Amino acid sequence: MTENCSDPRCPIHGNLSTYGLELTGKVVSNKAKRTVVVEREYLIYVPKYERYTKNRSKLHAHLPECMSVDVGDIVRLKQCRRLSKTKHWVVLGKEE
Ligand SMILES: [Zn+2]
């Protein structure tokens, strides 16, 4: 973490307010500037077969200036206002 964070869309140093759901996921891409792609795996119950099926979904999340993550990291996300066409989540930090 760096001290001087000038990102206005940082939930800690900026004025971005977060609300709603919080979840964790795995970083699958950090190529874009200040954006990460996070993949989530979850189980869905299928009544017909009385079993669970694994599902995956990808989310785009805003990565504040003061944080750096690598592919494979588990991160905590929090819902926020729509930041771009596909971004309405922000990275809160790494999950240990
Ligand atoms: Zn910050």
Side-chain angles (χ1 to χ4, degrees), residues 2-7 10-14 64-67:
T2 47
E3 283 299 308
N4 47 353
C5 173
S6 58
D7 191 350
C10 174
I12 301 149
H13 311 99
E65 246 179 37
C66 55
M67 289 178 211

Side-chain angles (χ1 to χ4, degrees), residues 11-33:
I12 301 149
H13 311 99
N15 50 18
L16 180 74
S17 56
T18 60
Y19 51 82
L21 297 172
E22 201 178 314
L23 52 85
T24 56
K26 194 172 90 180
V27 177
V28 289
S29 171
N30 59 356
K31 283 176 186 167
K33 199 180 170 187

Side-chain angles (χ1 to χ4, degrees), residues 15-84:
N15 50 18
L16 180 74
S17 56
T18 60
Y19 51 82
L21 297 172
E22 201 178 314
L23 52 85
T24 56
K26 194 172 90 180
V27 177
V28 289
S29 171
N30 59 356
K31 283 176 186 167
K33 199 180 170 187
R34 290 197 213 168
T35 301
V36 286
V37 184
V38 175
E39 191 175 72
R40 239 157 50 81
E41 216 170 65
Y42 51 94
L43 298 170
I44 296 265
Y45 185 67
V46 185
K48 186 179 175 185
Y49 300 110
E50 296 181 347
R51 278 171 179 81
Y52 289 89
T53 176
K54 243 186 221 174
N55 266 31
R56 281 179 190 180
S57 73
K58 280 178 184 174
L59 293 170
H60 290 191
H62 181 68
L63 184 71
E65 246 179 37
C66 55
M67 289 178 211
S68 65
V69 295
D70 297 314
V71 171
D73 283 349
I74 306 296
V75 289
R76 251 173 328 117
L77 302 179
K78 181 91 180 171
Q79 220 174 5
C80 62
R81 70 178 169 86
R82 196 174 190 244
L83 297 171
S84 75

